[in-house]
Amino acid sequence: MDQARKPLHIVSAAVGEGAGDSGCKYAASALLASGMAQALADAGREVHAGTAVASDPLQASDRMDTIARFNHALAEAVLPLARGGAQLLVLGGDHSCAIGSWSGMAQALRPQGPLGLIWIDAHLDAHTPDSSESNAPHGMPLAALLGHGCAAFTQLFGWSGKIRPEHLFIIGARSYESAERILLDSLGVRVFFMEEVAREGFESCFAQAREKVGAECAGWGVSMDIDGLDPLDAPATGTPVAHGISLAEATAALRGCRDDPRFMGLEIVEYNPLHDFGGKTARAVRALAVAGLGQDGPAAGAAAATPGA
Ligand SMILES: [Mn+2]
């Protein structure tokens, strides 16, 4: 099947309460307003951008409940799209939205087999409510997807362990707390820390991860925290960390994901439009989306490389 003919659904995940700076709640609307859907249509995709889920603190008892309710709604929105065979672009949102995105995809894939996940991030996002000093939910989604933490995050659709440790690959980590590393080490999760990425190249690390998930999983996806990128290329994010992955390397590695029949989608999170003066980071996010989900060839390459395009 020609993967480019699969419908591409953009899912707006408007949540910011999981982060210290909640401006990323407005990321999806800012990205759509600045031409995300058109860029993907220009890159040859049939784009549907009508699915939107927003957090609502007024309906919740506290911050954790806000995030839990939001992620249940997001997972329910993702499930039928993934089940229907569409590819997805989830636009966060703070990274806590990964709980809903990947729980929905794991549930859709469950009859066929396990879900693989490549997680690109400056952080490990593997706190539980017990280990986190900040108590910020955007530091918890990986622990939750692995089945650790509060039941409201781990038990979506009535089961936990949406991602098995051997099917998770973290790339670009360079800022984390020991409790997170201890949890991930105890589970045997493969982490490509930034020293290794700098030494071996991001494309090589990504290719290794992709080969594993491609061989062992019924489907797979990419969760891209833009703080995994170098802040020089993507400055508008809540918790930037110096010396990250270059945008050029990231787009080169993502190119062609779309053509893998097991590729379920791309999630891009932690973009904060309130800090994006001049729109540089919006262009970076668009380049990532077009690289991973747009058509191969000169058109996509040109769109990714042209500033202001
Ligand atoms: Mn993250």
Side-chain angles (χ1 to χ4, degrees), residues 93-126:
D94 70 70
H95 217 164
S96 71
C97 71
I99 297 169
S101 300
W102 303 104
S103 292
M105 295 209 222
Q107 177 74 3
L109 200 63
R110 202 178 187 197
Q112 287 115 271
L115 172 66
L117 185 56
I118 302 176
W119 188 277
I120 302 161
D121 205 314
H123 308 93
L124 290 174
D125 292 356

PDB file of all heavy atoms in Angstrom, residues 93-126:
ATOM      1  N   GLY A  93       0.904  21.023  23.265  1.00  0.00           N
ATOM      2  CA  GLY A  93       0.812  20.385  24.548  1.00  0.00           C
ATOM      3  C   GLY A  93       2.151  20.163  25.241  1.00  0.00           C
ATOM      4  O   GLY A  93       3.201  20.079  24.631  1.00  0.00           O
ATOM      5  N   ASP A  94       2.038  20.142  26.577  1.00  0.00           N
ATOM      6  CA  ASP A  94       3.186  19.689  27.339  1.00  0.00           C
ATOM      7  C   ASP A  94       3.285  18.173  27.194  1.00  0.00           C
ATOM      8  O   ASP A  94       2.338  17.522  26.742  1.00  0.00           O
ATOM      9  CB  ASP A  94       3.091  20.148  28.802  1.00  0.00           C
ATOM     10  CG  ASP A  94       2.001  19.428  29.586  1.00  0.00           C
ATOM     11  OD1 ASP A  94       2.171  18.223  29.861  1.00  0.00           O
ATOM     12  OD2 ASP A  94       0.977  20.064  29.919  1.00  0.00           O
ATOM     13  N   HIS A  95       4.420  17.608  27.617  1.00  0.00           N
ATOM     14  CA  HIS A  95       4.683  16.207  27.281  1.00  0.00           C
ATOM     15  C   HIS A  95       3.798  15.217  28.028  1.00  0.00           C
ATOM     16  O   HIS A  95       3.790  14.021  27.694  1.00  0.00           O
ATOM     17  CB  HIS A  95       6.167  15.875  27.478  1.00  0.00           C
ATOM     18  CG  HIS A  95       6.718  14.932  26.459  1.00  0.00           C
ATOM     19  ND1 HIS A  95       8.052  14.752  26.243  1.00  0.00           N
ATOM     20  CD2 HIS A  95       6.094  14.091  25.575  1.00  0.00           C
ATOM     21  CE1 HIS A  95       8.237  13.851  25.277  1.00  0.00           C
ATOM     22  NE2 HIS A  95       7.069  13.434  24.861  1.00  0.00           N
ATOM     23  N   SER A  96       3.041  15.688  29.009  1.00  0.00           N
ATOM     24  CA  SER A  96       2.115  14.755  29.673  1.00  0.00           C
ATOM     25  C   SER A  96       1.089  14.202  28.689  1.00  0.00           C
ATOM     26  O   SER A  96       0.514  13.135  28.912  1.00  0.00           O
ATOM     27  CB  SER A  96       1.412  15.430  30.860  1.00  0.00           C
ATOM     28  OG  SER A  96       0.467  16.393  30.428  1.00  0.00           O
ATOM     29  N   CYS A  97       0.875  14.889  27.555  1.00  0.00           N
ATOM     30  CA  CYS A  97      -0.089  14.394  26.566  1.00  0.00           C
ATOM     31  C   CYS A  97       0.333  13.067  25.963  1.00  0.00           C
ATOM     32  O   CYS A  97      -0.496  12.357  25.371  1.00  0.00           O
ATOM     33  CB  CYS A  97      -0.353  15.423  25.471  1.00  0.00           C
ATOM     34  SG  CYS A  97       1.011  15.674  24.314  1.00  0.00           S
ATOM     35  N   ALA A  98       1.605  12.697  26.122  1.00  0.00           N
ATOM     36  CA  ALA A  98       2.046  11.395  25.594  1.00  0.00           C
ATOM     37  C   ALA A  98       1.306  10.238  26.250  1.00  0.00           C
ATOM     38  O   ALA A  98       1.138   9.175  25.638  1.00  0.00           O
ATOM     39  CB  ALA A  98       3.552  11.245  25.805  1.00  0.00           C
ATOM     40  N   ILE A  99       0.854  10.441  27.473  1.00  0.00           N
ATOM     41  CA  ILE A  99       0.100   9.371  28.153  1.00  0.00           C
ATOM     42  C   ILE A  99      -1.134   9.019  27.331  1.00  0.00           C
ATOM     43  O   ILE A  99      -1.421   7.853  27.063  1.00  0.00           O
ATOM     44  CB  ILE A  99      -0.297   9.817  29.578  1.00  0.00           C
ATOM     45  CG1 ILE A  99       0.952  10.066  30.436  1.00  0.00           C
ATOM     46  CG2 ILE A  99      -1.204   8.773  30.229  1.00  0.00           C
ATOM     47  CD1 ILE A  99       0.654  10.767  31.765  1.00  0.00           C
ATOM     48  N   GLY A 100      -1.858  10.031  26.897  1.00  0.00           N
ATOM     49  CA  GLY A 100      -3.074   9.789  26.121  1.00  0.00           C
ATOM     50  C   GLY A 100      -2.787   9.342  24.700  1.00  0.00           C
ATOM     51  O   GLY A 100      -3.414   8.407  24.195  1.00  0.00           O
ATOM     52  N   SER A 101      -1.815  10.003  24.055  1.00  0.00           N
ATOM     53  CA  SER A 101      -1.498   9.660  22.663  1.00  0.00           C
ATOM     54  C   SER A 101      -1.134   8.186  22.534  1.00  0.00           C
ATOM     55  O   SER A 101      -1.690   7.451  21.708  1.00  0.00           O
ATOM     56  CB  SER A 101      -0.301  10.478  22.169  1.00  0.00           C
ATOM     57  OG  SER A 101      -0.562  11.850  22.228  1.00  0.00           O
ATOM     58  N   TRP A 102      -0.178   7.761  23.345  1.00  0.00           N
ATOM     59  CA  TRP A 102       0.379   6.419  23.140  1.00  0.00           C
ATOM     60  C   TRP A 102      -0.461   5.350  23.819  1.00  0.00           C
ATOM     61  O   TRP A 102      -0.417   4.180  23.396  1.00  0.00           O
ATOM     62  CB  TRP A 102       1.855   6.394  23.532  1.00  0.00           C
ATOM     63  CG  TRP A 102       2.596   7.426  22.731  1.00  0.00           C
ATOM     64  CD1 TRP A 102       3.038   8.638  23.165  1.00  0.00           C
ATOM     65  CD2 TRP A 102       2.873   7.392  21.315  1.00  0.00           C
ATOM     66  NE1 TRP A 102       3.589   9.351  22.110  1.00  0.00           N
ATOM     67  CE2 TRP A 102       3.503   8.610  20.975  1.00  0.00           C
ATOM     68  CE3 TRP A 102       2.647   6.439  20.305  1.00  0.00           C
ATOM     69  CZ2 TRP A 102       3.903   8.905  19.660  1.00  0.00           C
ATOM     70  CZ3 TRP A 102       3.054   6.732  19.007  1.00  0.00           C
ATOM     71  CH2 TRP A 102       3.672   7.952  18.698  1.00  0.00           C
ATOM     72  N   SER A 103      -1.272   5.725  24.819  1.00  0.00           N
ATOM     73  CA  SER A 103      -2.231   4.749  25.349  1.00  0.00           C
ATOM     74  C   SER A 103      -3.293   4.453  24.305  1.00  0.00           C
ATOM     75  O   SER A 103      -3.698   3.295  24.123  1.00  0.00           O
ATOM     76  CB  SER A 103      -2.890   5.273  26.633  1.00  0.00           C
ATOM     77  OG  SER A 103      -1.955   5.340  27.692  1.00  0.00           O
ATOM     78  N   GLY A 104      -3.743   5.493  23.594  1.00  0.00           N
ATOM     79  CA  GLY A 104      -4.728   5.277  22.526  1.00  0.00           C
ATOM     80  C   GLY A 104      -4.162   4.419  21.412  1.00  0.00           C
ATOM     81  O   GLY A 104      -4.832   3.519  20.898  1.00  0.00           O
ATOM     82  N   MET A 105      -2.913   4.676  21.038  1.00  0.00           N
ATOM     83  CA  MET A 105      -2.308   3.883  19.964  1.00  0.00           C
ATOM     84  C   MET A 105      -2.047   2.446  20.420  1.00  0.00           C
ATOM     85  O   MET A 105      -2.242   1.502  19.656  1.00  0.00           O
ATOM     86  CB  MET A 105      -1.042   4.559  19.466  1.00  0.00           C
ATOM     87  CG  MET A 105      -1.382   5.909  18.817  1.00  0.00           C
ATOM     88  SD  MET A 105      -0.276   6.433  17.532  1.00  0.00           S
ATOM     89  CE  MET A 105      -0.112   8.171  17.949  1.00  0.00           C
ATOM     90  N   ALA A 106      -1.598   2.285  21.666  1.00  0.00           N
ATOM     91  CA  ALA A 106      -1.344   0.930  22.182  1.00  0.00           C
ATOM     92  C   ALA A 106      -2.641   0.118  22.236  1.00  0.00           C
ATOM     93  O   ALA A 106      -2.656  -1.082  21.918  1.00  0.00           O
ATOM     94  CB  ALA A 106      -0.708   1.003  23.574  1.00  0.00           C
ATOM     95  N   GLN A 107      -3.720   0.782  22.617  1.00  0.00           N
ATOM     96  CA  GLN A 107      -5.008   0.097  22.672  1.00  0.00           C
ATOM     97  C   GLN A 107      -5.464  -0.316  21.265  1.00  0.00           C
ATOM     98  O   GLN A 107      -5.964  -1.425  21.063  1.00  0.00           O
ATOM     99  CB  GLN A 107      -6.049   1.022  23.322  1.00  0.00           C
ATOM    100  CG  GLN A 107      -7.467   0.475  23.374  1.00  0.00           C
ATOM    101  CD  GLN A 107      -7.637  -0.617  24.420  1.00  0.00           C
ATOM    102  OE1 GLN A 107      -6.706  -0.945  25.164  1.00  0.00           O
ATOM    103  NE2 GLN A 107      -8.823  -1.211  24.459  1.00  0.00           N
ATOM    104  N   ALA A 108      -5.260   0.563  20.296  1.00  0.00           N
ATOM    105  CA  ALA A 108      -5.639   0.238  18.913  1.00  0.00           C
ATOM    106  C   ALA A 108      -4.834  -0.937  18.380  1.00  0.00           C
ATOM    107  O   ALA A 108      -5.344  -1.774  17.633  1.00  0.00           O
ATOM    108  CB  ALA A 108      -5.432   1.463  18.015  1.00  0.00           C
ATOM    109  N   LEU A 109      -3.579  -1.002  18.777  1.00  0.00           N
ATOM    110  CA  LEU A 109      -2.658  -2.009  18.244  1.00  0.00           C
ATOM    111  C   LEU A 109      -2.720  -3.321  19.004  1.00  0.00           C
ATOM    112  O   LEU A 109      -2.213  -4.341  18.533  1.00  0.00           O
ATOM    113  CB  LEU A 109      -1.230  -1.440  18.330  1.00  0.00           C
ATOM    114  CG  LEU A 109      -0.152  -2.052  17.452  1.00  0.00           C
ATOM    115  CD1 LEU A 109      -0.497  -1.846  15.982  1.00  0.00           C
ATOM    116  CD2 LEU A 109       1.205  -1.427  17.771  1.00  0.00           C
ATOM    117  N   ARG A 110      -3.342  -3.315  20.178  1.00  0.00           N
ATOM    118  CA  ARG A 110      -3.246  -4.441  21.104  1.00  0.00           C
ATOM    119  C   ARG A 110      -3.591  -5.796  20.473  1.00  0.00           C
ATOM    120  O   ARG A 110      -2.898  -6.787  20.733  1.00  0.00           O
ATOM    121  CB  ARG A 110      -4.136  -4.188  22.325  1.00  0.00           C
ATOM    122  CG  ARG A 110      -3.697  -4.994  23.525  1.00  0.00           C
ATOM    123  CD  ARG A 110      -4.549  -4.703  24.739  1.00  0.00           C
ATOM    124  NE  ARG A 110      -3.985  -5.367  25.906  1.00  0.00           N
ATOM    125  CZ  ARG A 110      -4.650  -5.569  27.030  1.00  0.00           C
ATOM    126  NH1 ARG A 110      -5.898  -5.143  27.141  1.00  0.00           N
ATOM    127  NH2 ARG A 110      -4.079  -6.179  28.048  1.00  0.00           N
ATOM    128  N   PRO A 111      -4.633  -5.893  19.625  1.00  0.00           N
ATOM    129  CA  PRO A 111      -4.918  -7.208  19.032  1.00  0.00           C
ATOM    130  C   PRO A 111      -3.789  -7.723  18.139  1.00  0.00           C
ATOM    131  O   PRO A 111      -3.623  -8.934  17.987  1.00  0.00           O
ATOM    132  CB  PRO A 111      -6.178  -6.948  18.196  1.00  0.00           C
ATOM    133  CG  PRO A 111      -6.777  -5.708  18.754  1.00  0.00           C
ATOM    134  CD  PRO A 111      -5.628  -4.890  19.243  1.00  0.00           C
ATOM    135  N   GLN A 112      -3.008  -6.812  17.552  1.00  0.00           N
ATOM    136  CA  GLN A 112      -1.944  -7.241  16.634  1.00  0.00           C
ATOM    137  C   GLN A 112      -0.619  -7.487  17.333  1.00  0.00           C
ATOM    138  O   GLN A 112       0.165  -8.323  16.901  1.00  0.00           O
ATOM    139  CB  GLN A 112      -1.716  -6.200  15.537  1.00  0.00           C
ATOM    140  CG  GLN A 112      -2.804  -6.149  14.484  1.00  0.00           C
ATOM    141  CD  GLN A 112      -3.543  -4.816  14.523  1.00  0.00           C
ATOM    142  OE1 GLN A 112      -4.519  -4.672  15.236  1.00  0.00           O
ATOM    143  NE2 GLN A 112      -3.061  -3.837  13.781  1.00  0.00           N
ATOM    144  N   GLY A 113      -0.343  -6.714  18.387  1.00  0.00           N
ATOM    145  CA  GLY A 113       0.938  -6.884  19.061  1.00  0.00           C
ATOM    146  C   GLY A 113       1.397  -5.620  19.741  1.00  0.00           C
ATOM    147  O   GLY A 113       0.650  -4.647  19.835  1.00  0.00           O
ATOM    148  N   PRO A 114       2.658  -5.632  20.205  1.00  0.00           N
ATOM    149  CA  PRO A 114       3.143  -4.503  21.013  1.00  0.00           C
ATOM    150  C   PRO A 114       3.460  -3.258  20.192  1.00  0.00           C
ATOM    151  O   PRO A 114       3.712  -3.325  18.993  1.00  0.00           O
ATOM    152  CB  PRO A 114       4.411  -5.051  21.664  1.00  0.00           C
ATOM    153  CG  PRO A 114       4.879  -6.137  20.760  1.00  0.00           C
ATOM    154  CD  PRO A 114       3.647  -6.714  20.115  1.00  0.00           C
ATOM    155  N   LEU A 115       3.442  -2.133  20.897  1.00  0.00           N
ATOM    156  CA  LEU A 115       3.747  -0.822  20.329  1.00  0.00           C
ATOM    157  C   LEU A 115       5.191  -0.447  20.678  1.00  0.00           C
ATOM    158  O   LEU A 115       5.601  -0.564  21.826  1.00  0.00           O
ATOM    159  CB  LEU A 115       2.787   0.216  20.919  1.00  0.00           C
ATOM    160  CG  LEU A 115       3.045   1.693  20.601  1.00  0.00           C
ATOM    161  CD1 LEU A 115       2.840   1.975  19.108  1.00  0.00           C
ATOM    162  CD2 LEU A 115       2.127   2.585  21.436  1.00  0.00           C
ATOM    163  N   GLY A 116       5.933   0.015  19.691  1.00  0.00           N
ATOM    164  CA  GLY A 116       7.280   0.529  19.935  1.00  0.00           C
ATOM    165  C   GLY A 116       7.272   2.046  19.957  1.00  0.00           C
ATOM    166  O   GLY A 116       6.450   2.676  19.284  1.00  0.00           O
ATOM    167  N   LEU A 117       8.185   2.631  20.735  1.00  0.00           N
ATOM    168  CA  LEU A 117       8.183   4.087  20.867  1.00  0.00           C
ATOM    169  C   LEU A 117       9.619   4.610  20.917  1.00  0.00           C
ATOM    170  O   LEU A 117      10.444   4.127  21.693  1.00  0.00           O
ATOM    171  CB  LEU A 117       7.426   4.482  22.134  1.00  0.00           C
ATOM    172  CG  LEU A 117       7.205   5.979  22.384  1.00  0.00           C
ATOM    173  CD1 LEU A 117       6.493   6.654  21.227  1.00  0.00           C
ATOM    174  CD2 LEU A 117       6.415   6.180  23.679  1.00  0.00           C
ATOM    175  N   ILE A 118       9.896   5.584  20.061  1.00  0.00           N
ATOM    176  CA  ILE A 118      11.184   6.279  20.075  1.00  0.00           C
ATOM    177  C   ILE A 118      10.936   7.663  20.656  1.00  0.00           C
ATOM    178  O   ILE A 118      10.116   8.422  20.138  1.00  0.00           O
ATOM    179  CB  ILE A 118      11.791   6.370  18.662  1.00  0.00           C
ATOM    180  CG1 ILE A 118      11.970   4.967  18.066  1.00  0.00           C
ATOM    181  CG2 ILE A 118      13.132   7.117  18.718  1.00  0.00           C
ATOM    182  CD1 ILE A 118      12.487   4.950  16.631  1.00  0.00           C
ATOM    183  N   TRP A 119      11.618   7.948  21.754  1.00  0.00           N
ATOM    184  CA  TRP A 119      11.328   9.134  22.573  1.00  0.00           C
ATOM    185  C   TRP A 119      12.531  10.074  22.503  1.00  0.00           C
ATOM    186  O   TRP A 119      13.601   9.736  22.997  1.00  0.00           O
ATOM    187  CB  TRP A 119      11.077   8.665  24.014  1.00  0.00           C
ATOM    188  CG  TRP A 119      10.576   9.673  24.983  1.00  0.00           C
ATOM    189  CD1 TRP A 119      11.330  10.570  25.684  1.00  0.00           C
ATOM    190  CD2 TRP A 119       9.229   9.862  25.410  1.00  0.00           C
ATOM    191  NE1 TRP A 119      10.514  11.307  26.511  1.00  0.00           N
ATOM    192  CE2 TRP A 119       9.224  10.890  26.363  1.00  0.00           C
ATOM    193  CE3 TRP A 119       8.017   9.253  25.071  1.00  0.00           C
ATOM    194  CZ2 TRP A 119       8.068  11.322  26.999  1.00  0.00           C
ATOM    195  CZ3 TRP A 119       6.859   9.680  25.687  1.00  0.00           C
ATOM    196  CH2 TRP A 119       6.885  10.709  26.639  1.00  0.00           C
ATOM    197  N   ILE A 120      12.383  11.203  21.835  1.00  0.00           N
ATOM    198  CA  ILE A 120      13.484  12.139  21.643  1.00  0.00           C
ATOM    199  C   ILE A 120      13.283  13.305  22.610  1.00  0.00           C
ATOM    200  O   ILE A 120      12.246  13.984  22.579  1.00  0.00           O
ATOM    201  CB  ILE A 120      13.521  12.622  20.177  1.00  0.00           C
ATOM    202  CG1 ILE A 120      13.665  11.410  19.241  1.00  0.00           C
ATOM    203  CG2 ILE A 120      14.658  13.621  19.966  1.00  0.00           C
ATOM    204  CD1 ILE A 120      13.269  11.695  17.805  1.00  0.00           C
ATOM    205  N   ASP A 121      14.263  13.528  23.498  1.00  0.00           N
ATOM    206  CA  ASP A 121      14.001  14.413  24.636  1.00  0.00           C
ATOM    207  C   ASP A 121      15.317  14.762  25.321  1.00  0.00           C
ATOM    208  O   ASP A 121      16.223  13.929  25.378  1.00  0.00           O
ATOM    209  CB  ASP A 121      13.091  13.652  25.632  1.00  0.00           C
ATOM    210  CG  ASP A 121      12.268  14.569  26.510  1.00  0.00           C
ATOM    211  OD1 ASP A 121      12.822  15.533  27.050  1.00  0.00           O
ATOM    212  OD2 ASP A 121      11.067  14.289  26.683  1.00  0.00           O
ATOM    213  N   ALA A 122      15.417  15.976  25.857  1.00  0.00           N
ATOM    214  CA  ALA A 122      16.562  16.317  26.710  1.00  0.00           C
ATOM    215  C   ALA A 122      16.442  15.674  28.087  1.00  0.00           C
ATOM    216  O   ALA A 122      17.427  15.551  28.802  1.00  0.00           O
ATOM    217  CB  ALA A 122      16.664  17.831  26.863  1.00  0.00           C
ATOM    218  N   HIS A 123      15.213  15.285  28.445  1.00  0.00           N
ATOM    219  CA  HIS A 123      14.942  14.762  29.786  1.00  0.00           C
ATOM    220  C   HIS A 123      14.529  13.294  29.702  1.00  0.00           C
ATOM    221  O   HIS A 123      14.310  12.774  28.603  1.00  0.00           O
ATOM    222  CB  HIS A 123      13.833  15.595  30.444  1.00  0.00           C
ATOM    223  CG  HIS A 123      14.116  17.077  30.416  1.00  0.00           C
ATOM    224  ND1 HIS A 123      13.665  17.893  29.403  1.00  0.00           N
ATOM    225  CD2 HIS A 123      14.832  17.860  31.254  1.00  0.00           C
ATOM    226  CE1 HIS A 123      14.090  19.139  29.623  1.00  0.00           C
ATOM    227  NE2 HIS A 123      14.794  19.152  30.746  1.00  0.00           N
ATOM    228  N   LEU A 124      14.370  12.666  30.851  1.00  0.00           N
ATOM    229  CA  LEU A 124      13.956  11.260  30.855  1.00  0.00           C
ATOM    230  C   LEU A 124      12.455  11.088  31.104  1.00  0.00           C
ATOM    231  O   LEU A 124      11.907  10.029  30.820  1.00  0.00           O
ATOM    232  CB  LEU A 124      14.752  10.463  31.905  1.00  0.00           C
ATOM    233  CG  LEU A 124      16.240  10.259  31.575  1.00  0.00           C
ATOM    234  CD1 LEU A 124      16.956   9.577  32.747  1.00  0.00           C
ATOM    235  CD2 LEU A 124      16.429   9.445  30.298  1.00  0.00           C
ATOM    236  N   ASP A 125      11.800  12.097  31.640  1.00  0.00           N
ATOM    237  CA  ASP A 125      10.341  12.074  31.820  1.00  0.00           C
ATOM    238  C   ASP A 125       9.856  10.792  32.493  1.00  0.00           C
ATOM    239  O   ASP A 125       8.787  10.269  32.182  1.00  0.00           O
ATOM    240  CB  ASP A 125       9.623  12.261  30.469  1.00  0.00           C
ATOM    241  CG  ASP A 125       9.812  13.659  29.894  1.00  0.00           C
ATOM    242  OD1 ASP A 125      10.434  14.506  30.565  1.00  0.00           O
ATOM    243  OD2 ASP A 125       9.336  13.901  28.772  1.00  0.00           O
ATOM    244  N   ALA A 126      10.665  10.298  33.430  1.00  0.00           N
ATOM    245  CA  ALA A 126      10.371   9.003  34.051  1.00  0.00           C
ATOM    246  C   ALA A 126      10.179   9.125  35.564  1.00  0.00           C
ATOM    247  O   ALA A 126      10.506   8.203  36.313  1.00  0.00           O
ATOM    248  CB  ALA A 126      11.484   8.005  33.719  1.00  0.00           C
TER     249      ALA A 126
END
